[in-house]
Amino acid sequence: MTNTEWESLSNQAVTVCGIVYFLALLAHSAQWASLRKLPADETPEIGQTALYGRLGVMLTAIACAVQLVALVGRGMAADPNRVPWGNMYEFVLTATFAMTVVYLLLYRKYSLAWLAPWAVGLVFVTLMLAALWLYEPVAPLTEALSSPWLVIHVISAITATGIFSLGGIVSVLYLVKSRSEEKEKARIKVAAAASAAGGDGGGEIALATREEPRRGFLARVPSPDNLDRFSYRLHAFAFPIWTFAVLITGPIWAHYAWSRYWGWDAKEVWAFITWVVYAAYLHARATAGWKGRNAAILALVGVATLLFNFIGINYFFGGSSQHSYAAPAPTSVVESAPMVEPGPALL
Amino acid sequence: MAAPDLNFLELMRWFWRQLTSMRTALVLLLMLALAAIPGSVIPQSDVDAAAVERWQDQHPQLTPIYEWLGLFGVFDSVWFAAIYLLLVISLVGCIIPRTVKYWKGFRAAPPKAPRNLLRLQDSASYTTDVPAEEVLEQATALLRKRRRYRVVVTDEAVSAERGHFREVGNLIFHLSVLVVLAGFAMGSLFGYKGGVIVPVGSGFSNNLAQYDDFVPGSLMGIEDMEPFSFTVDDFDIEWLLSGPRKGMAQHFVAHTNYQETPGGEDKEYDLRVNHPLNIGGTSIFLIGHGYAPNITVRDGNGDIAYSGPTIFLPEDQATFTSFGVVKAPAAEPQQIGLEGLLYPTYLKVDGNPTSVLGDDRNPVLSMQAYVGDLGMESGESQSVYVLDKDKAKLVKKEDGSMFRVDLQLCAKDAKKCASDTVKLPNGAGTVTFDGIQPWVRLQISKTPGTGIALTGVILALLGLLGSLFIRPRRVWVRARREDGVTVVEVAGLDRSGASETKDEIVDIVTALGGSPSSDGEEKQA
Ligand code: HEM
């Protein structure tokens, strides 16, 4: 196949996988629409609802495979062939792929049915935004990017980003769920107090305070404790990968490409901030009083810094970062010290 | 918080306890993150000195305040240092007591089984006909061999513990942070970095005078500079002429010839981006390229006042339109200065001169000339890229209209070509464009401690993995005879707070041949 053919194959694959993700999202929506009507402790193993669920997961797997084709196509379309990590469009394509792979791998082990619509929805939306706004034709890498460190640095940064994002979703769900649970507790307490005060006969107390199986989406989301633990696992998994990406491979590559291993460039500053925030998250989980809610908030701050570093730096700090691979090569002529090769590199 | 009648010692102790608490570590970490933000928003002099100057010109009122706050050098500022030093102190104060505690815990036997095992969250019990001793023996073997627990058997219960190395991992991680800091500090104290532009055909030897810019570490000595020298013999480059990155340059190679010591063996190296040349502890990096036209200036007397390759600095990476300055202070009767642009592949588009490619396919110089005092005797150091025009006069045509020194380097077969020599009006002299050659910009730096820092982060990563993924846990198995059957109770405790031992308990019970009538799980539901 020629390069152009590979490129159009990749573009078609992105379209197809977008559509399939959308179908998967529909299947999960249908599943949840009918699950809502059932009590939370009742999950049909057969029948239409279960079928929708399985269909959703299967479609997600198919979309994920097609996405892999899209990625391979990007790499094959370049001359010389390369890893498909040369610009933001390709990063987003890969990060969403990593996210889906992790989600699918963990699906069975952690019974992630409750996460399905959120994970698939996020992947779908991100992918579409990337296709609309970030698309760039395949191009050869700039000189500073042509390095074996590109492969190892970017794959780790992207994988960590994908997993941190999943952790972010779980943290949001944690906050929502624990809030609703608190409300529920308060309601039971108030009801109990009211009926105790009114002495309105035992029947009503029993009714109001009974732990009735609840319905609706939130009821099916695992307990806050479990969410907290799952979120911790995701973050604990991603943190060493992120450490490897920004504090080991990044500096090594920067040493070869720019002659300094750490230069407090805007992108480096924010990668450091992200790292510190997630280190704080891990500390928070070990600190009494910061567990749960505060830790979840820190995890969200982490996602915010991560995204800001990924997108914000390129658009707001465009020319001033050596890493601005999104903007056209910035010009900088320094009178006494001309920095002539603004090697646009990654992350 | 502190009670008012604390004496000094108690106060200090209170203060130390606060400083070394996890909560303080957390707050300090968050402060470190916050404190780094200005370093990305405000231009930093270490990163981009020109951007700092531009910012300062635009904000004359804020500049002194920012300067006082150290905001142009956040990462060297006192307050930034204060945060990370506090963090380091907190870390040491936190880690040392833990090391001691850890060492004691490491040698201690697994603790005795709690009286009521079934009260633990993750527990199960079952009954069997197997005698109690046999069950305990089985459990000991199982935990020791298959699950690598450290096991102690008391009267009627087995206590087992594993995952001691989690704490080691945590300690290694935190101590490695100090190692990284030490390596980083070494680099900035004892290292140096400098930049130089070398036209192809010229050489460089490693001493201060030859650098265009030089930043020494504060404890670096001149004797730390290796006495190497090299020449740049040739420079190859490829220009993309089609595709989405049309006009981009690729595959730069500077062919160099170097000697590690004066009079030493001649060696060759092809210097490329991402492939520095290492000599001793010093690395030479190719970080840029551009053009140096060969320009000759003859003065009013016809004598050569200036001749040679003149470095022009690219203003635009897409076209390599470059700006440069020529100073001929020796010219008689008046000094001559020139400044203007070089278009490597000149083309007039809509009447405007431009360069359509970075390659030097049709080089054209377009400059303005000045005569008079170029301010070079004042003693103040002058940038070679800036012409001091305060006391010099712009050269105009004899009729007073605009005059430009437009020179074209003509190919032999060129049909239409402007001249490569221009006469200055009023017999001030002539300027000739003799040729053009590339230059390369090199960064030369020595960063001691890089290996230490790298070792530090790698150790940190390993420690982190241990600290995050080793699951310290305890398991107890108790078996006793009751009414003719053996009642077996199994319970577990996860000590990291990050997971549970329910599955482990179920596995153990199953392996022992019981069926978990899990009391524990019912309690959980
Ligand atoms: C440069 C500053 C620091 C960084 C980057 C850092 C990072 C980390 C990370 C990533 C963890 C997670 C490992 C785990 O969950 O087991 C951790 C755990 C821990 N850190 Fe730090 N830390 C720093 C400073 C401190 C300080 C100052 C203290 C003491 C006051 C401290 C005490 C601890 C403790 C006790 C744990 C173990 C928590 C547990 O048992 O789960 N750290 N640290």
Side-chain angles (χ1 to χ4, degrees):
Chain A
M1 289 217 300
T2 67
N3 288 342
T4 341
E5 280 165 354
W6 278 113
E7 184 165 359
S8 59
L9 172 73
S10 171
N11 292 346
Q12 283 156 5
V14 170
T15 313
V16 171
C17 91
I19 294 172
V20 181
Y21 275 128
F22 184 64
L23 294 179
L25 189 58
L26 284 184
H28 284 304
S29 308
Q31 175 197 12
W32 281 95
S34 54
L35 277 179
R36 282 186 58 155
K37 298 182 203 115
L38 297 174
D41 54 358
E42 202 178 296
T43 311
E45 295 287 332
I46 46 168
Q48 212 181 15
T49 313
L51 191 71
Y52 280 138
R54 278 200 296 270
L55 188 66
V57 176
M58 208 175 70
L59 286 172
T60 310
I62 294 173
C64 185
V66 177
Q67 202 176 355
L68 182 63
V69 173
L71 281 170
V72 172
R74 287 293 289 192
M76 298 298 285
D79 179 29
N81 290 346
R82 61 171 167 86
V83 286
W85 303 319
N87 52 48
M88 287 184 71
Y89 171 69
E90 295 175 347
F91 296 154
V92 175
L93 215 56
T94 315
T96 46
F97 176 72
M99 210 155 102
T100 315
V101 169
V102 171
Y103 153 75
L104 285 175
L105 286 180
L106 298 183
Y107 186 87
R108 197 168 281 269
K109 177 147 188 244
Y110 293 104
S111 319
L112 291 186
W114 51 274
L115 189 60
W118 306 101
V120 176
L122 184 71
V123 167
F124 171 71
V125 170
T126 319
L127 197 63
M128 288 303 100
L129 291 181
L132 286 178
W133 286 337
L134 299 176
Y135 180 78
E136 273 180 50
V138 177
L141 295 178
T142 52
E143 194 79 353
L145 285 188
S146 323
S147 160
W149 291 104
L150 169 76
V151 180
I152 176 160
H153 174 70
V154 177
I155 189 75
S156 47
I158 287 183
T159 310
T161 304
I163 305 174
F164 277 141
S165 311
L166 267 183
I169 309 184
V170 179
S171 298
V172 171
L173 285 177
Y174 169 87
L175 290 175
V176 176
K177 173 86 178 184
S178 63
R179 220 192 128 106
S180 99
E181 216 144 83
E182 261 158 39
K183 271 204 199 132
E184 181 68 16
K185 268 198 206 118
R187 189 182 67 75
I188 291 177
K189 221 179 188 170
V190 170
S195 48
D200 236 354
E204 211 173 293
I205 304 179
L207 198 74
T209 56
R210 205 178 63 217
E211 282 278 355
E212 201 186 320
R214 293 169 36 220
R215 290 159 202 270
F217 176 78
L218 267 184
R220 283 177 188 276
V221 172
S223 71
D225 270 358
N226 283 332
L227 283 178
D228 182 48
R229 209 157 21 214
F230 184 54
S231 155
Y232 169 75
R233 286 201 177 155
L234 289 173
H235 286 104
F237 188 62
F239 188 74
I241 304 179
W242 183 250
T243 306
F244 180 68
V246 305
L247 297 184
I248 297 184
T249 59
I252 293 179
W253 187 13
H255 167 79
Y256 286 113
W258 300 323
S259 76
R260 86 285 187 292
Y261 62 86
W262 191 269
W264 295 115
D265 173 279
K267 200 112 203 163
E268 291 162 5
V269 172
W270 279 88
F272 174 74
I273 292 175
T274 304
W275 186 78
V276 170
V277 169
Y278 279 117
Y281 165 85
L282 293 177
H283 272 204
R285 280 207 76 270
T287 311
W290 277 76
K291 274 203 180 93
R293 204 180 116 80
N294 287 342
I297 291 174
L298 271 179
L300 293 181
V301 174
V303 171
T305 61
L306 194 71
L307 291 182
F308 180 73
N309 194 20
F310 183 56
I311 299 165
I313 297 288
N314 296 334
Y315 288 109
F316 302 138
F317 295 67
S320 72
S321 170
Q322 277 189 311
H323 297 255
S324 40
Y325 44 79
T331 49
S332 66
V333 177
V334 184
E335 279 172 3
S336 60
M339 177 66 200
V340 175
E341 185 58 56
L346 306 176
L347 297 173
Chain B
M1 268 185 274
D5 52 350
L6 287 182
N7 67 29
F8 181 72
L9 209 70
E10 279 166 321
L11 188 74
M12 291 316 288
R13 204 172 292 145
W14 174 83
F15 185 71
W16 181 249
R17 258 204 318 278
Q18 292 301 313
L19 183 63
T20 56
S21 73
M22 273 294 261
R23 193 177 296 259
T24 310
L26 192 58
V27 171
L28 285 172
L29 276 171
L30 291 175
M31 277 171 68
L32 193 67
L34 271 181
I37 294 177
S40 72
V41 182
I42 300 164
Q44 299 290 298
S45 32
D46 284 359
V47 179
D48 192 346
V52 174
E53 264 172 42
R54 243 175 287 137
W55 194 95
Q56 292 184 340
D57 285 346
Q58 284 160 12
H59 307 86
Q61 254 131 43
L62 281 179
T63 297
I65 305 174
Y66 274 40
E67 236 155 27
W68 186 76
L69 288 173
L71 289 177
F72 300 114
V74 167
F75 303 103
D76 304 321
S77 72
V78 179
W79 46 273
F80 193 78
I83 297 173
Y84 70 73
L85 287 180
L86 270 180
L87 197 54
V88 164
I89 296 173
S90 166
L91 195 149
V92 172
C94 176
I95 288 309
I96 289 177
R98 282 177 77 95
T99 314
V100 176
K101 217 174 88 202
Y102 161 75
W103 182 242
K104 287 196 186 127
F106 186 79
R107 302 204 310 174
K112 261 177 70 177
R115 184 140 354 116
N116 190 347
L117 281 184
L118 296 186
R119 211 176 273 159
L120 289 174
Q121 266 236 327
D122 301 325
S123 56
S125 73
Y126 68 95
T127 54
T128 172
D129 294 333
V130 185
E133 298 78 45
E134 217 165 287
V135 171
L136 291 182
E137 259 166 48
Q138 264 183 337
T140 308
L142 177 78
L143 288 168
R144 219 172 243 160
K145 293 246 168 51
R146 287 243 309 271
R147 299 177 176 270
R148 287 184 287 126
Y149 276 84
R150 198 186 281 185
V151 184
V152 166
V153 190
T154 52
D155 315 339
E156 51 172 22
V158 173
S159 309
E161 184 164 20
R162 82 162 189 208
H164 290 81
F165 282 95
R166 174 193 155 91
E167 277 285 278
V168 182
N170 195 28
L171 295 178
I172 291 181
F173 171 80
H174 284 87
L175 292 177
S176 312
V177 172
L178 303 182
V179 177
V180 176
L181 276 179
F184 201 73
M186 266 182 80
S188 51
L189 291 178
F190 299 103
Y192 67 84
K193 67 174 185 194
V196 60
I197 289 180
V198 183
V200 167
S202 304
F204 174 89
S205 63
N206 193 27
N207 63 58
L208 270 182
Q210 297 230 341
Y211 281 92
D212 295 343
D213 58 285
F214 190 82
V215 185
S218 35
L219 296 180
M220 173 245 170
I222 293 299
E223 70 282 359
D224 291 331
M225 298 181 73
E226 266 107 9
F228 59 81
S229 60
F230 58 83
T231 55
V232 179
D233 298 331
D234 209 350
F235 181 66
D236 294 338
I237 190 164
E238 268 172 37
W239 296 92
L240 289 177
L241 298 178
S242 60
R245 288 272 161 89
K246 198 165 114 183
M248 187 177 90
Q250 269 188 325
H251 308 302
F252 329 122
V253 188
H255 303 283
T256 56
N257 202 306
Y258 69 97
Q259 299 171 334
E260 296 193 7
T261 48
E265 185 194 347
D266 258 349
K267 295 182 194 162
E268 284 183 0
Y269 190 81
D270 287 346
L271 199 57
R272 288 177 294 150
V273 176
N274 274 323
H275 299 273
L277 162 62
N278 295 305
I279 301 176
T282 307
S283 309
I284 299 158
F285 301 86
L286 173 63
I287 61 170
H289 60 97
Y291 293 106
N294 285 329
I295 297 172
T296 300
V297 178
R298 288 190 174 77
D299 65 10
N301 304 341
D303 295 329
I304 291 181
Y306 175 94
S307 182
T310 310
I311 290 160
F312 274 56
L313 302 177
E315 295 198 313
D316 172 356
Q317 288 294 307
T319 66
F320 269 75
T321 301
S322 310
F323 176 84
V325 163
V326 174
K327 299 178 193 181
E332 297 288 345
Q334 279 179 302
Q335 297 186 338
I336 299 174
L338 302 165
E339 77 171 18
L341 296 174
L342 166 74
Y343 303 99
T345 301
Y346 175 81
L347 194 72
K348 213 162 198 170
V349 178
D350 301 332
N352 297 316
T354 45
S355 174
V356 290
L357 186 65
D359 202 3
D360 54 343
R361 301 200 168 193
N362 179 25
V364 161
L365 278 169
S366 177
M367 302 187 288
Q368 288 188 308
Y370 294 83
V371 291
D373 182 359
L374 300 181
M376 294 177 78
E377 278 98 42
S378 68
E380 262 178 63
S381 69
Q382 248 190 12
S383 164
V384 292
Y385 303 111
V386 183
L387 191 65
D388 181 354
K389 295 170 290 204
D390 283 353
K391 289 180 223 139
K393 207 173 90 219
L394 177 66
V395 174
K396 297 198 175 135
K397 282 193 188 149
E398 270 147 36
D399 60 7
S401 63
M402 193 172 80
F403 169 78
R404 296 195 73 87
V405 181
D406 288 330
L407 301 162
Q408 187 170 21
L409 203 60
C410 301
K412 287 210 177 61
D413 52 352
K415 291 192 192 80
K416 211 176 100 191
C417 186
S419 172
D420 59 6
T421 299
V422 162
K423 241 190 210 137
L424 299 179
N426 302 321
T430 61
V431 182
T432 309
F433 189 3
D434 300 318
I436 188 166
Q437 63 205 47
W439 53 254
V440 290
R441 179 167 163 75
L442 304 174
Q443 173 96 15
I444 299 175
S445 64
K446 180 169 176 173
T447 322
T450 310
I452 297 181
L454 184 61
T455 313
V457 265
I458 290 175
L459 273 181
L461 186 63
L462 294 177
L464 189 64
L465 290 175
S467 149
L468 289 173
F469 298 118
I470 296 178
R471 303 245 166 83
R473 46 181 54 170
R474 291 177 179 158
V475 169
W476 294 279
V477 181
R478 173 176 283 140
R480 61 177 187 275
R481 208 65 191 169
E482 226 170 61
D483 304 331
V485 285
T486 306
V487 180
V488 185
E489 295 168 352
V490 183
L493 188 67
D494 178 274
R495 301 190 63 221
S496 66
S499 61
E500 45 193 32
T501 48
K502 206 158 50 191
D503 295 347
E504 180 98 343
I505 301 300
V506 173
D507 284 357
I508 292 172
V509 169
T510 319
L512 287 175
S515 64
S517 75
S518 59
D519 279 9
E521 269 180 79
E522 266 166 39
K523 255 192 320 217
Q524 288 241 309

